[in-house]
Amino acid sequence: MKTLPIKHFDIEGAHKHYTDGVIHKNIRVPSRKISLSNGKALFLYDQTGPYSDPRVKLNPSKGLPDLQIAKNHSGKNVTQLYYARKKIITQEMEFVAIRENCTPEMVRKEVAKGHAIIPVNINHPELEPMIIGRKFLTKINSNIGNSAISSGINEEIEKMLWSIRWGGDTVMDLSTGKNIHETRECIIRNSPVPIGTVPIYQALEKAGGVIEDLTWEIYRDVLIEQAKQGVDYFTVHAGILRKYIPNALKRKTGIVSRGGAILAQWCQSHKKENFCYTHFEEICEILKQYDVSFSLGDGLRPGSIADANDKAQFAELKTLGELAQIAWKHDVQTMIEGPGHVPINKIQENMDKQIKLCQGAPFYTLGPLVTDIGAGYDHITSTIGAAIIGAMGTAMLCYVTPKEHLGLPDKNDVKEGIISHKIAAHAADLAKGHPLAIARDNAMSDARFEFRWDDQFKLCLDPEKARNSRKSTFSSDKKCSKDYCSMCGPQFCSMRISKNIKNN
Ligand code: SF4
């Protein structure tokens, strides 16, 4: 492996803390300890891996240390769903239970029902297990990956670390350009979070970029190659059937999913059914040997407000629900991808239909973006929909950056996309009444009311930006008064007045 730009990062005010397993004594579960100036401490969910622990030596040429968790499974079926149904609490289940502050038995039950997944390929031993399900903290995914015209391996690794630094719970490598295999290898070996891919992209590269030359055999070989490498979940567009294509083509913006468009063209050219659908059981056989989870792709997601909740979208969703049943028959963990562009008044129907048609399988949505006019600000149009659908029970939100619809995101776009979707996920968790989320907000409110500025910075998502914003409105450090800010000024600080009333 080439030498990569791998290094530790500082998270202001945070210290790495570990909790030992009770059932499985060998596991050490990380959290982020925030020590406050009032003597209290808060333990936050932390997915940054060894990068935020200076005590762990990093080795850029070898990758992260092996956690010795995933390797303990062997046999033909190694999935967490298989073990959960056998009533076995695995190390991964206890790991996520400690992270989420719930019981290992609750984790096992949710996984056994198919209502949650723990994406953890047995060949990704650097991974710290995490869970995606409506009863748990809402997660976010960030996308990285080179394209034919932009970005190299070092830049992609930097983007991955940057995503993790700011709170990405999973990372999807959407590379379509050169060195796909090598880029992915560097990413997996250095990632403490699950890595997802869309294997049809690499299959198309192998077919020389000619859609008509794609075959099931090429696709199957890519699945095996990536599963062996350690990819934790695959987006598989198996729900896009030939009969759905005419309706999709009548839309304002047609088919906007890359994978969906590729497979639709293949079906039309060959006058055959989608090979991901016709070979679905063989795909399950491959995935269950490595515990790769399905992310059943929404190839017909709406790409504009006018196309939301249409016939093509919901026909595909019904098929995805049927495919989830087949995946579960093989003990393959499964989540379902969702839209897209949806106006606020049509979001609830998406969630209701997904729960009904997919029997509670976790929903993983892109936004939804609630208007089409936000170019340059589509991380905002996305987070509005994401917060709403998250509060309704969507388990993971795929981030959207300000570059959406415009170009490949750079580092700053990645940060903006991550932070805005962390806010959406956290807002959803508050709406769902998650105690960890409520505790953080209460600590922030106390710090705000007591003018403990440093504590406020430690508790927010971007301490540096918050600190600089406050500082920049005072002409000097000395003038940076403790008990007001420049928003209302000293005479009109309502919190100070309110405190005075309370104290007198
Ligand atoms: S000045 Fe206004 S905005 Fe600033 S701390 Fe006081 S109440 Fe809050």
Side-chain angles (χ1 to χ4, degrees), residues 448-449 451 453 456 470 474 482-497:
R448 198 165 268 160
F449 196 64
F451 300 110
W453 295 97
Q456 292 178 50
R470 171 165 164 76
F474 288 95
K482 192 181 168 303
D483 56 357
Y484 68 91
C485 73
S486 58
M487 175 82 186
C488 324
Q491 312 299 333
F492 294 92
C493 175
S494 51
M495 286 210 280
R496 187 147 60 103
I497 298 168

Side-chain angles (χ1 to χ4, degrees), residues 204-425:
L204 186 57
E205 292 286 330
K206 285 192 189 274
V210 181
I211 292 175
E212 287 70 25
D213 290 350
L214 270 171
T215 61
W216 155 245
E217 287 74 21
I218 293 175
Y219 186 74
R220 178 199 60 201
D221 292 349
V222 167
L223 293 180
I224 295 170
E225 174 190 331
Q226 295 195 8
K228 282 187 174 165
Q229 214 173 8
V231 174
D232 302 290
Y233 64 92
F234 287 154
T235 290
V236 176
H237 298 94
I240 173 164
L241 304 186
R242 278 184 78 193
K243 61 185 176 191
Y244 304 153
I245 297 171
N247 273 332
L249 296 179
K250 282 185 214 148
R251 293 162 152 183
K252 202 172 265 299
T253 47
I255 300 172
V256 297
S257 147
R258 280 192 279 186
I262 292 165
L263 284 161
Q265 189 177 325
W266 187 91
C267 292
Q268 297 295 77
S269 309
H270 290 276
K271 302 200 177 359
K272 279 188 184 167
E273 193 52 280
N274 174 357
F275 54 76
C276 295
Y277 180 78
T278 54
H279 290 273
F280 192 72
E281 301 232 19
E282 287 161 82
I283 299 176
C284 294
E285 290 289 341
I286 296 166
L287 268 57
K288 74 179 177 194
Q289 290 177 50
Y290 304 88
D291 201 1
V292 181
S293 298
F294 271 121
S295 183
L296 291 177
D298 53 339
L300 297 180
R301 69 168 172 267
S304 55
I305 291 298
D307 297 340
N309 296 19
D310 71 353
K311 233 175 160 178
Q313 183 198 337
F314 286 145
E316 184 191 42
L317 185 63
K318 185 167 178 283
T319 302
L320 296 182
E322 290 158 7
L323 292 170
Q325 293 282 346
I326 298 171
W328 287 337
K329 193 181 80 187
H330 289 270
D331 295 319
V332 178
Q333 304 189 85
T334 301
M335 60 181 168
I336 310 288
E337 292 184 11
H341 290 234
V342 183
I344 290 173
N345 59 311
K346 291 187 176 178
I347 291 178
Q348 182 77 56
E349 189 184 6
N350 271 273
M351 193 71 236
D352 292 347
K353 277 209 157 64
Q354 192 273 342
I355 291 176
K356 189 163 171 251
L357 296 172
C358 305
Q359 296 85 38
F363 205 19
Y364 165 31
T365 59
L366 178 72
L369 285 69
V370 294
T371 164
D372 297 341
I373 63 157
Y377 297 90
D378 270 327
H379 59 313
I380 296 174
T381 61
S382 170
T383 47
I384 294 170
I388 294 170
I389 206 162
M392 291 171 183
T394 284
M396 185 155 80
L397 310 170
C398 185
Y399 90 157
V400 169
T401 76
K403 280 269 176 61
E404 184 74 8
H405 304 111
L406 304 171
L408 197 65
D410 63 18
K411 254 176 102 174
N412 196 46
D413 298 319
V414 169
K415 179 182 168 188
E416 295 276 310
I418 295 266
I419 298 228
S420 52
H421 287 77
K422 285 300 278 186
I423 294 170

